[in-house]
Amino acid sequence: MTDTTRAVATLGGGCFWCLEPLFRDLRGVADVTCGYAGGHVERPTYDQVCGKRTGHAEVVQVAFDPAQISYADILRVFFTLHDPTTKDQQGADVGPQYRSIILTQDEAQAETAGVVMAEVEAARIWPARLTTEVAPLTTFWPAEPEHQRYYERNPWAGYCRVVIAPKVAKFRKAHAARLKAA
């Protein structure tokens, strides 16, 4: 759903626990919800998605104010948050649920995704070609409550300390000008 004060981007780039705190820090972002999309099973669970048979990717749904940050800029940030050149993998996380994917709300978002992907390829930010899938969003299924704000609620958990915390620190340094005021 898009209106003049709120738009939505649905993005997958590996573990949703990693993407969620990063997007939540961006100025103009109102909310971020972890969930599943791009598959064929209704109301999938985390265990089913991790079983690699539902077709779903772990995604975040980013609600944002387009007057403060554009969809194109959301995507430009997205391409700095994960490796969009590794098919079905982010670091040690392997499987189709970790694929790089942009699920579009409408044709305008699909066109913008194509433009931004061409920019990223032309800039040679990554050493290989993008494997990011672009597809229309059919259904977004919110993940179970324990997956929402996971990093915020579990900062001392092993995965959070070893994987997410360094990403958060790197993101905050690289995108300092785009962050919400403290």
Side-chain angles (χ1 to χ4, degrees):
M1 67 180 68
T2 303
D3 63 34
T4 57
T5 60
R6 191 171 176 135
V8 175
T10 305
L11 308 166
C15 174
F16 49 36
W17 293 346
C18 292
L19 292 179
E20 186 261 349
L22 307 177
F23 280 111
R24 194 170 290 288
D25 273 355
L26 280 177
R27 188 174 47 254
V29 170
D31 195 25
V32 182
T33 304
C34 294
Y36 316 108
H40 57 271
V41 172
E42 288 195 26
R43 295 176 191 80
T45 66
Y46 183 74
D47 288 340
Q48 288 174 318
V49 172
C50 288
K52 303 176 186 176
R53 289 197 263 345
T54 69
H56 290 87
E58 287 190 17
V59 298
V60 289
Q61 197 157 70
V62 181
F64 64 98
D65 178 351
Q68 293 186 46
I69 186 168
S70 69
Y71 180 69
D73 281 343
I74 291 277
L75 294 180
R76 288 179 186 110
V77 169
F78 169 68
F79 281 110
T80 69
L81 304 181
H82 73 295
D83 181 348
T85 68
T86 54
K87 184 169 173 47
D88 298 341
Q89 179 178 359
Q90 289 300 307
D93 294 333
V94 179
Q97 71 272 31
Y98 300 120
R99 69 189 180 272
S100 179
I101 187 168
I102 299 169
L103 294 144
T104 59
Q105 303 282 326
D106 53 31
E107 188 57 36
Q109 283 193 353
E111 288 175 19
T112 301
V115 168
V116 171
M117 288 175 68
E119 285 176 13
V120 170
E121 291 259 336
R124 299 189 185 273
I125 295 166
W126 294 99
R129 296 199 47 88
L130 301 182
T131 63
T132 304
E133 177 184 342
V134 178
L137 176 66
T138 52
T139 306
F140 171 79
W141 303 100
E144 299 84 346
E146 61 268 22
H147 298 294
Q148 308 303 329
R149 295 181 178 261
Y150 185 83
Y151 175 69
E152 183 180 308
R153 292 181 302 99
N154 300 283
W156 301 112
Y159 188 85
C160 293
R161 288 187 13 235
V162 173
V163 177
I164 303 174
K167 285 185 180 197
V168 169
K170 180 180 175 183
F171 169 78
R172 288 178 178 163
K173 182 176 181 182
H175 296 283
R178 294 184 182 269
L179 300 181
K180 294 175 181 172

